Amino acid sequence: MELDSRGIHGQMVQSTLLNVQLSQGEISHRRSICQPRKEQSGGMPTVTGRVSQFMEPSKFFRPREPVTRSISLMETKLLFSVASWYKSKVMDVLNEALATGGDPNVSDAYTINGEPGDLYNCSKETMYSLLVETGKTYLLRIVNAILNEEMFFAIANHNMTVVGSDGAYVKPFSTDYLFITPGQTMDVLVTANQSASYYYMVLTPFLDTESSYDNTTSRALIKYSGNYTTPSSIPTPTFPNISDSISAQLFVVRLKSLADAAHPINVPKNITRQYFMTVSVNLFACPNSTGCTVDGNNKLAASLNNNSFVLPSTALLQEYYDNNFNVSRIADQLPNKPPTPFNYTTVANMSTYTNEGRRVITLNHGDEVEIVFQGTNIGATQNHPMHLHGYSFYLVGTGSADFDNGTDPGRFNLVDPPEVNTIAVPRKGWSAIRFKADNPGVWFMHCHFERHTTWGMSTVVIVKNGGTKKTSMRPPPSYMPSCS
């Protein structure tokens, strides 16, 4: 799992580590923000198999006081973490899925700041509550640390004003719900402008697929300060339908950069490297007597451009450095388009099986890059939250059906696209991003559904050194521990 709440540009950020409890133990995946020449601190798989670890700094806002179930009246900036809760050990869930080749068991609940809420007996008395003062405005910094579901979030009788996403300002807009994917962060303002009472904050999943998912709801409370009678019936917000992809996409397209004199943006327009990237859920055929149980003797897989990424036994970052930055010695190249073009969102007879390998994207320093992620009709179709380490990028376009290279680029937003690091590629649709390859190093790119990363829906972006010391990777620090 990844947790990240980045600082808004120009603000001071303090580094801390937040553990979100998922089972009897605790698990967290720490993630870097865009940090030029911090390649030793981010982005690379380091262990054998499909469980990945990353050596990265964690960047979080730390509230002025520790976050507890009831926040002080004077607290106006609050970190909200939403997460997955498992009654069993998370690694047991993963190992069982790997043994059968099937979907991992779904989580037992979602949590808001560590509590699933009063719909669960275990949390009736400890449900998270936010004490607010009439007339005050609160900044909620919401981190989606959920493993495998995109979410809707709303507060009864209260609109939210979205002011930031993934650490960058956006043009403020008012909304009665949030759509937030795993790995994303949202900065929202909430004004306590209702009658003094209790109001539910509710978290519920969005899913437009036949895949298994955690179909539960979690709740927290807003409690106004003052003297009043506790309501017998607490207002609950209304939500889009669980499969309402239109509401999900309408939220996404409202995100736009400030793009003014005080907050300039620099969208690449002279593209030197283009990738058209299919995003698919697939199958692998298992050897006989291996225990795989999916559609006969198969196991689930996932791919980018028909390649299911094989994690290395040692860190690619270290291998890249040790081999004098020679990519050909450590990996093959990922093709810049699908090996076989097809009707991506309507195909009915395309093979579900994929290939596996260690195939990467190699970029020259200074390349202006465009990647179009294309959802497909292969396997279990659904949204895919794609994330790139080491960079923020601009979401310049998104749409339904197959990407049309003749007409869709003309509709790209190159004026005020949002600067983010995680995007929701729509089910049977596409999303286009642009960025400048100015951060040398080895950076992981993957779907932020943990099960899809486990199955291989990932690759590595290697950005070569520039021509100066300041545009080149630094050597490993002497105190850096070895990976094992």
Side-chain angles (χ1 to χ4, degrees):
M1 151 178 292
E2 299 190 16
L3 306 177
D4 174 49
S5 184
R6 303 199 309 156
I8 297 293
H9 292 325
Q11 290 186 344
M12 183 67 69
V13 178
Q14 182 157 359
S15 176
T16 65
L17 173 63
L18 175 68
N19 288 320
V20 176
Q21 189 169 353
L22 299 178
S23 64
Q24 291 96 330
E26 293 181 340
I27 182 170
S28 67
H29 167 176
R30 295 171 291 166
R31 174 175 108 196
S32 66
I33 63 175
C34 182
Q35 303 172 89
R37 302 183 68 234
K38 294 293 186 181
E39 65 285 334
Q40 301 297 341
S41 301
M44 276 320 307
T46 60
V47 298
T48 307
R50 293 200 176 275
V51 183
S52 57
Q53 296 179 351
F54 304 85
M55 298 181 299
E56 304 177 344
S58 297
K59 294 293 182 181
F60 297 98
F61 281 96
R62 188 174 68 180
R64 289 190 295 270
E65 299 296 336
V67 175
T68 62
R69 294 191 180 97
S70 185
I71 303 295
S72 163
L73 280 174
M74 300 308 294
E75 184 61 77
T76 57
K77 296 180 182 178
L78 307 170
L79 176 65
F80 266 50
S81 174
V82 299
S84 302
W85 177 270
Y86 288 83
K87 293 180 181 178
S88 53
K89 293 181 179 179
V90 176
M91 292 308 298
D92 290 347
V93 173
L94 174 62
N95 291 333
E96 179 182 350
L98 293 176
T100 64
D103 245 334
N105 291 337
V106 300
S107 56
D108 295 287
Y110 304 112
T111 62
I112 300 174
N113 275 1
E115 292 287 345
D118 62 351
L119 295 175
Y120 301 82
N121 290 331
C122 65
S123 189
K124 284 183 179 293
E125 303 301 323
T126 57
M127 175 173 57
Y128 177 82
S129 63
L130 169 61
L131 191 61
V132 300
E133 184 177 330
T134 299
K136 287 191 67 173
T137 297
Y138 296 80
L139 173 60
L140 308 185
R141 285 174 165 152
I142 301 172
V143 183
N144 186 348
I146 288 168
L147 293 181
N148 290 309
E149 289 88 9
E150 296 164 313
M151 306 300 292
F152 290 122
F153 176 80
I155 304 173
N157 295 13
H158 293 73
N159 276 5
M160 294 169 283
T161 300
V162 180
V163 296
S165 180
D166 285 352
Y169 284 120
V170 299
K171 288 183 171 69
F173 64 91
S174 179
T175 180
D176 57 1
Y177 71 94
L178 301 181
F179 170 67
I180 183 168
T181 76
Q184 276 189 321
T185 67
M186 293 283 171
D187 295 274
V188 302
L189 299 175
V190 178
T191 299
N193 56 8
Q194 298 298 303
S195 299
S197 188
Y198 289 9
Y199 299 90
Y200 275 123
M201 298 181 281
V202 180
L203 183 70
T204 191
F206 162 76
L207 207 82
D208 58 350
T209 180
E210 296 178 357
S211 296
S212 59
Y213 65 99
D214 178 354
N215 188 19
T216 62
T217 297
S218 293
R219 302 197 298 201
L221 276 178
I222 281 184
K223 293 182 178 180
Y224 277 69
S225 60
N227 297 318
Y228 54 88
T229 302
T230 301
S232 58
S233 178
I234 301 172
T236 300
T238 57
F239 278 94
N241 183 276
I242 189 171
S243 60
D244 188 348
S245 58
I246 294 177
S247 290
Q249 283 303 107
L250 285 175
F251 182 88
V252 170
V253 298
R254 296 184 73 184
L255 296 170
K256 300 179 185 297
S257 293
L258 288 179
D260 56 24
H263 308 91
I265 62 173
N266 186 20
V267 184
K269 297 179 181 178
N270 300 310
I271 301 302
T272 58
R273 297 293 299 275
Q274 286 183 304
Y275 280 80
F276 181 73
M277 189 97 52
T278 53
V279 183
S280 304
V281 174
N282 308 94
L283 290 175
F284 283 140
C286 294
N288 292 331
S289 304
T290 56
C292 296
T293 60
V294 178
D295 292 342
N297 194 33
N298 298 299
K299 63 180 179 179
L300 291 168
S303 66
L304 299 176
N305 276 355
N306 202 37
N307 179 75
S308 185
F309 189 73
V310 177
L311 290 173
S313 56
T314 58
L316 278 181
L317 176 62
Q318 188 68 52
E319 287 190 42
Y320 181 56
Y321 182 81
D322 290 345
N323 283 276
N324 198 28
F325 310 118
N326 189 329
V327 179
S328 64
R329 293 181 181 177
I330 63 172
D332 297 319
Q333 291 299 304
L334 186 74
N336 65 355
K337 59 185 178 181
T340 303
F342 58 98
N343 294 324
Y344 303 107
T345 57
T346 59
V347 64
N349 59 354
M350 195 72 179
S351 173
T352 308
Y353 293 92
T354 188
N355 301 309
E356 61 180 347
R358 189 193 298 180
R359 295 180 175 88
V360 304
I361 294 172
T362 304
L363 302 173
N364 292 320
H365 192 280
D367 271 340
E368 296 196 3
V369 185
E370 177 183 287
I371 301 176
V372 176
F373 295 100
Q374 174 69 64
T376 73
N377 199 37
I378 297 174
T381 60
Q382 65 182 111
N383 270 30
H384 293 286
M386 297 303 299
H387 170 62
L388 173 61
H389 290 238
Y391 282 87
S392 291
F393 49 77
Y394 295 101
L395 175 63
V396 296
T398 186
S400 59
D402 288 9
F403 178 75
D404 187 328
N405 195 45
T407 59
D408 285 329
R411 292 191 285 267
F412 282 175
N413 175 12
L414 305 181
V415 177
D416 58 358
E419 186 179 13
V420 293
N421 58 46
T422 305
I423 57 167
V425 179
R427 176 179 182 260
K428 298 185 183 181
W430 57 270
S431 294
I433 68 171
R434 290 185 177 185
F435 65 95
K436 186 172 183 177
D438 55 3
N439 193 12
V442 181
W443 307 106
F444 199 41
M445 184 170 74
H446 62 100
C447 178
H448 223 297
F449 288 147
E450 291 298 314
R451 66 182 187 276
H452 290 176
T453 300
T454 299
W455 298 340
M457 191 179 286
S458 57
T459 187
V460 167
V461 176
I462 298 178
V463 179
K464 294 180 180 180
N465 288 337
T468 67
K469 183 177 180 180
K470 288 186 177 181
T471 59
S472 299
M473 282 177 53
R474 297 177 301 174
S478 59
Y479 54 80
M480 181 172 157
S482 61
C483 298
S484 59

